[in-house]
């Protein structure tokens, strides 16, 4: 009996030890390791990967626009991500709750898949949550570059993250860290500057969007710090802003040193700041499509710079590897995935992509190791951001959309983005700041009373729009009306003739002209002229009364022949929804502080012309900007 009892005692002791060990390895018993938040990310990734089928892995590499997907498709194909392309909204003037309901319905589809892997939802929140009606619209990047204020830009990132979360979305295709080297490029306003050091400084927006890596945190690892933050995306890798003659999606001809010193610095900084995703450019480098560039994506970005997040294509970007796009889709998928793209913004036809890639793997054209690299990167980001624990939109953020606090921040950004290029004729006294107590003033121009024009492209719709019903905000005219004294008469005339101007005894005139909204290739230009009848308005007004010209544009435009006519000249870029920031500085509540982020040319024949170039002969040089002191009258 003694032996038996000893044996049973030993067995009991062993079983207790085994149970203890088993429990320690799986603190939360009963759930799969990948669903256990107490497990380290690498363990969760490994556990999930070993459970996934090839179709589920390929599904996670697929991103589809909301217009081409249903919750059932997300469930059945284990799709990794959904997006809203420019202007892809649930319905016109949808509110934050409408967006959140839509996103949550898609997420429920994903969560009902076999492994319940939640999806991420991406959107172009480039200057605020700009697809969404009544969101705060911040100045476009060219204006933020003029502020030279990385802390301001970080605060804008944090506000943008809150307004994106207010719609239930957790991923923004921002910041664009292009270094635009030719203002004829239709995307130049998405670039902070022609100078890579200014672009590098403005990557501070990533810390606002994703959160700051805590002390001791591993720099260079993808990072997201909290439910009020969102994944960011540095784009478009690499050299998008250097295309020949600014032709969008074209060829960037530059040697290795030039690419590294001009177009790469923003990516060095973005990776250090924990950028989670990087989007590949449509453009080519020395004739090689970036979407097919294994050296720059895999050898350099992943293996040399040690980027640990995931690489995403642009919209149907792999289709454009061939000319015409989609001419040989199998080749496109093979080259794009083989180059190192991890998630494909397929955009519309998920089955074609999934079937094509699955066949390439089954035919041993693309190795499983490439698929596993892509899916591990995607899963690492999804686990790191807490997506499995918090997959659904959080209604506590609904009130953040278009909040007064964010509008005040946008107004501050407008003030700091304005660049004063001329202030008075020769020896005459300065024109600015303007008197608030003038008896009668004229406000003229196509852009004075047009919220859509002052927001520019990527606002509510892809190309932007015209008028004051596009979204909520304050026009430049509206800001002027609030700034002047109550008994100052403000006369608005969009396109006055000289007789009209001369028939009134105006103390001075403010003329607001510029470019019409555009996005991407639609903005490519060879002449960079003001929208009609901008030049005539300047002549008619400035030949009859003291005038301040405010230019609302995404880039320097052709004004050299007109400058002599003007008494003062202000570059306002694309200020966004809070146009009152312009009046704040025109009337001296705040001083002018902005500096040109781009060279302002004399004629387009000089282009491309950037600071540091030989034969540099601009109208206004990079870094130029006159200053004024606040008057102290608030
Ligand atoms: C566009 C742009 C890219 C954007 C994407 C999704 O074509 O090139 O910047 O993020 O598609 O809208």
């Amino acid at each position: 009996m003694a032996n038996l009892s000893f044996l049973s005692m030993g067995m009991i002791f062993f079983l207790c030890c085994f149970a203890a060990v088993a429990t320690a390895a799986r603190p939360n018993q009963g759930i799969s390791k990948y669903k256990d938040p107490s497990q380290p990310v690498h363990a969760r990734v490994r556990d999930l990967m070993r459970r996934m089928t090839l179709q589920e892995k390929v599904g996670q590499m697929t991103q589809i626009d909301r217009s081409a997907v249903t919750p059932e498709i997300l469930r059945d194909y284990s799709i990794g991500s959904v997006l809203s392309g420019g202007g892809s909204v649930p319905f016109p003037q949808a509110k934050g709750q409408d967006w959140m309901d839509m996103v949550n319905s898609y997420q429920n589809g994903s969560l009902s898949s076999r492994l319940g892997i939640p999806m991420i939802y991406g959107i172009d929140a480039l200057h605020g949550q700009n697809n969404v009606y009544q969101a705060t619209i911040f100045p476009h990047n060219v204006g933020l570059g003029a502020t030279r204020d990385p802390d301001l830009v970080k605060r804008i990132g944090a506000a943008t993250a809150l307004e994106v979360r207010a719609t239930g979305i957790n991923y923004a295709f921002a910041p664009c860290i292009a270094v635009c080297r030719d203002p004829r490029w239709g995307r130049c306003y998405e670039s902070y500057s022609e100078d890579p050091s200014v672009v590098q400084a403005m990557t501070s927006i990533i810390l606002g969007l994703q959160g700051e890596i805590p002390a001791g945190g591993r720099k260079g690892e993808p990072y997201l710090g909290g439910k009020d933050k969102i994944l960011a995306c540095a784009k478009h890798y690499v050299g998008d802003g250097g295309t020949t003659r600014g032709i969008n999606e074209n060829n960037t001809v530059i040697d290795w040193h030039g690419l590294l010193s001009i177009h790469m610095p923003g990516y060095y900084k973005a990776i250090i700041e924990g950028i989670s995703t990087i989007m590949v450019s449509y453009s080519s480098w020395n004739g090689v499509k970036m979407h097919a560039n294994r050296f720059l994506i895999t050898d350099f970005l992943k293996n040399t710079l040690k980027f640990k997040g995931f690489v995403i294509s642009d919209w149907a970007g792999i289709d454009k590897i061939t000319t015409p796009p989609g001419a040989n889709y199998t080749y496109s998928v093979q080259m794009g995935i083989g180059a190192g793209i991890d998630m494909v913004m397929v955009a519309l036809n998920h089955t074609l992509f999934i079937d094509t890639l699955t066949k390439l793997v089954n035919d041993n054209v693309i190795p499983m190791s490439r698929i596993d690299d892509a899916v591990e990167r995607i899963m690492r980001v999804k686990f790191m951001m807490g997506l499995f624990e918090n997959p659904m939109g959080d209604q506590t953020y609904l009130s953040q959309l278009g909040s007064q606090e964010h509008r005040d921040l946008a107004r501050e950004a407008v003030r700091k983005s304005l660049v004063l290029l001329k202030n008075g004729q020769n020896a005459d006294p300065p024109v600015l700041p303007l008197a608030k107590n003038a008896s009668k003033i004229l406000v003229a121009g196509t852009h004075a009373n047009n919220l859509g024009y002052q927001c520019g492209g990527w606002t509510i719709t892809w190309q932007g729009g015209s008028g004051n019903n596009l979204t909520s905000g304050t026009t430049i005219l509206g800001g002027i009306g609030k700034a002047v004294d109550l008994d100052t008469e403000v006369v608005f005339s969009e396109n006055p003739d000289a007789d009209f101007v001369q028939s009134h005894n105006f103390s001075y005139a403010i003329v607001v002209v510029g470019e019409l909204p555009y996005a991407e290739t639609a903005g490519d230009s060879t002449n960079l002229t003001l929208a009609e009848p901008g030049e005539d308005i300047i002549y008619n007004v400035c030949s009859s009364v003291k005038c301040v010209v405010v230019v609302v544009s995404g880039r320097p435009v052709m004004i050299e022949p007109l400058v002599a006519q003007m008494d003062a000249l202000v570059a306002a870029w694309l200020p966004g929804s809070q146009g009152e920031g312009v009046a704040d500085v025109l009337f001296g509540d705040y001083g002018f502080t902005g500096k040109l982020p781009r060279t302002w040319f004399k004629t387009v024949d000089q282009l491309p012309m950037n600071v540091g170039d030989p034969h540099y002969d601009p109208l206004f040089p990079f870094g130029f900007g006159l200053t004024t002191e606040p008057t102290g009258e608030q």
Side-chain angles (χ1 to χ4, degrees):
M1 280 300 282
N3 289 344
L4 186 60
S5 60
F6 180 75
L7 185 61
S8 60
M9 286 288 285
M11 283 299 290
I12 290 167
F13 176 73
F14 168 75
L15 289 172
C16 288
C17 291
F18 176 78
V21 169
T23 303
R26 210 171 54 236
N28 299 329
Q29 281 195 332
I31 63 169
S32 307
K33 183 179 284 190
Y34 76 93
K35 290 187 175 178
D36 180 353
S38 70
Q39 293 290 330
V41 166
H42 66 82
R44 300 180 77 180
V45 171
R46 189 168 53 245
D47 179 55
L48 180 52
M49 293 284 295
R50 68 181 181 80
R51 300 168 186 265
M52 295 174 77
T53 64
L54 173 59
Q55 174 162 327
E56 287 165 336
K57 291 179 178 177
V58 170
Q60 286 299 307
M61 296 170 67
T62 307
Q63 184 183 64
I64 301 289
D65 188 79
R66 50 157 291 284
S67 61
V69 81
T70 64
E72 293 72 26
I73 291 173
L74 293 169
R75 176 196 63 207
D76 298 344
Y77 288 88
S78 187
I79 299 292
S81 180
V82 181
L83 83 144
S84 276
S88 180
V89 301
F91 51 85
Q93 300 191 353
K95 297 276 196 288
Q97 186 65 62
D98 303 317
W99 279 87
M100 197 171 288
D101 293 345
M102 174 190 74
V103 175
N104 283 343
S105 74
Y106 289 133
Q107 191 65 286
N108 283 324
S110 296
L111 294 175
S112 58
S113 63
R114 184 179 76 91
L115 292 169
I117 303 171
M119 59 92 189
I120 51 178
Y121 194 111
I123 196 165
D124 291 284
L126 310 177
H127 59 141
Q129 176 53 311
N130 43 260
N131 270 305
V132 178
Y133 182 62
Q134 297 186 327
T136 306
I137 305 297
F138 292 93
H140 266 297
N141 286 354
V142 64
L144 300 183
T147 70
R148 302 296 201 278
D149 188 340
D151 179 68
L152 167 74
V153 169
K154 182 166 71 174
R155 289 183 285 133
I156 289 173
T160 299
L162 285 168
E163 298 210 15
V164 171
R165 283 289 187 179
T167 57
I169 292 173
N170 48 29
Y171 179 23
F173 304 127
C176 177
I177 55 174
V179 181
C180 172
R181 302 288 287 176
D182 191 321
R184 291 173 291 188
W185 186 38
R187 307 196 71 165
C188 209
Y189 66 76
E190 295 183 61
S191 168
Y192 292 107
S193 177
E194 69 189 38
D195 180 335
S197 61
V198 174
V199 173
Q200 261 196 333
M202 298 303 154
T203 61
S204 60
I205 194 168
I206 295 167
L207 302 177
L209 291 167
Q210 296 191 156
E212 305 221 34
I213 298 174
R218 293 181 59 187
K219 288 200 177 291
E221 295 280 329
Y223 177 78
L224 191 131
K227 295 196 293 184
D228 59 344
K229 300 299 182 185
I230 58 175
L231 296 180
C233 178
K235 70 183 187 181
H236 308 80
Y237 183 79
V238 64
D240 51 345
T243 57
T244 305
R245 296 193 302 282
I247 300 168
N248 192 39
E249 304 184 14
N250 205 267
N251 191 24
T252 297
V253 180
I254 192 168
D255 63 17
W256 178 232
H257 172 72
L259 189 75
L260 288 185
S261 56
I262 294 173
H263 298 286
M264 202 63 83
Y267 291 93
Y268 305 143
K269 191 83 179 304
I271 292 170
I272 291 168
E273 288 166 340
I275 192 71
S276 300
T277 74
I278 289 177
M279 185 185 294
V280 179
S281 177
Y282 285 129
S283 56
S284 301
W285 177 48
N286 295 337
V288 177
K289 287 277 186 178
M290 274 309 306
H291 274 75
N293 197 315
R294 179 184 170 82
F295 165 69
L296 281 173
I297 296 173
T298 295
D299 298 345
F300 190 71
L301 181 61
K302 291 183 174 180
N303 296 342
T304 302
L305 297 187
K306 304 298 181 197
F307 173 60
K308 299 290 186 214
F310 68 79
V311 175
I312 186 169
S313 81
D314 202 333
W315 178 284
I318 61 171
D319 306 47
K320 294 183 177 180
I321 288 173
T322 60
T323 304
N328 182 340
Y329 194 67
T330 299
Y331 173 77
S332 284
V333 174
Q334 179 186 342
M335 295 305 286
I337 302 302
I341 292 172
D342 303 309
M343 182 177 282
V344 174
M345 191 184 292
V346 170
L348 300 175
N349 189 338
H350 64 284
T351 52
L352 176 60
F353 171 70
I354 290 169
D355 294 348
T356 304
L357 180 52
T358 302
K359 185 173 188 312
L360 285 167
V361 176
N362 289 334
D363 293 351
N364 295 315
V365 175
I366 290 182
M368 195 64 194
S369 58
R370 175 70 270 275
I371 302 300
D372 286 340
D373 171 55
V375 179
E376 277 173 22
R377 288 170 177 270
I378 294 166
M379 289 307 143
R380 181 184 302 131
V381 169
K382 288 189 173 183
F383 283 122
M384 170 281 296
M385 69 188 281
L387 186 64
F388 283 75
E389 286 66 55
N390 296 292
M392 310 307 288
D394 183 340
Q395 291 188 318
T396 55
Y397 297 111
L398 282 173
S399 62
Q400 294 288 339
L401 194 72
S403 75
Q404 190 55 51
E405 181 186 353
H406 294 167
R407 292 185 186 278
D408 292 345
L409 175 60
R411 181 174 182 173
E412 175 190 351
V414 172
R415 290 196 292 264
K416 293 179 174 178
S417 68
L418 302 180
V419 181
L420 181 56
L421 299 174
K422 181 178 183 181
N423 190 11
Q425 293 284 14
N426 308 320
D428 292 355
V431 175
L432 294 166
L434 294 168
K436 291 183 178 180
N437 61 0
S439 57
K440 181 162 65 171
I441 67 174
L442 169 65
V443 179
T446 48
H447 289 57
N449 188 34
N450 195 314
L451 194 61
Y453 284 4
Q454 70 191 51
C455 289
W458 292 105
T459 308
I460 308 302
T461 69
W462 180 38
Q463 292 294 318
S466 174
N468 296 337
N469 298 321
L470 188 69
T471 188
S472 302
T474 303
T475 63
I476 292 169
L477 172 66
I480 292 167
K482 290 178 192 170
V484 296
D485 292 356
L486 289 176
D487 53 11
T488 296
E489 183 184 356
V490 179
V491 174
F492 171 61
S493 172
E494 183 172 313
N495 180 12
D497 59 28
D499 292 344
F500 174 84
V501 181
Q502 288 159 10
S503 66
H504 289 69
N505 181 26
F506 294 118
S507 305
Y508 54 76
I510 301 169
V511 179
V512 191
V513 292
E515 291 189 294
L516 302 184
Y518 52 80
E520 302 192 47
T521 304
D524 283 3
S525 170
T526 54
N527 56 29
L528 293 172
T529 52
L530 292 169
E532 292 296 337
E535 290 188 11
D536 293 344
I537 296 169
I538 291 171
Y539 273 121
N540 289 339
V541 174
C542 296
S543 59
S544 310
V545 66
K546 182 163 67 174
C547 73
V548 178
V549 175
V550 178
V551 177
V552 173
S553 64
R555 53 200 165 184
V557 290
M558 191 57 209
I559 52 164
E560 193 273 335
L562 305 159
V563 174
Q565 197 80 42
M566 306 169 188
D567 296 292
L569 172 61
V570 175
W573 314 111
L574 297 171
S577 59
Q578 306 317 124
E580 64 270 38
V582 176
D584 288 346
V585 183
L586 290 181
F587 292 96
D589 290 349
Y590 294 83
F592 278 93
T593 57
K595 302 297 178 196
L596 283 181
R598 312 195 51 74
T599 297
W600 203 297
F601 59 87
K602 289 176 179 170
T603 68
V604 292
D605 301 337
Q606 296 178 297
L607 300 177
M609 177 171 61
N610 295 284
V611 60
D613 286 356
H615 319 303
Y616 188 66
D617 176 30
L619 177 61
F620 301 105
F622 169 85
F624 180 76
L626 301 174
T627 58
T628 59
E629 292 303 319
T631 58
E633 302 164 24
Q634 292 269 344

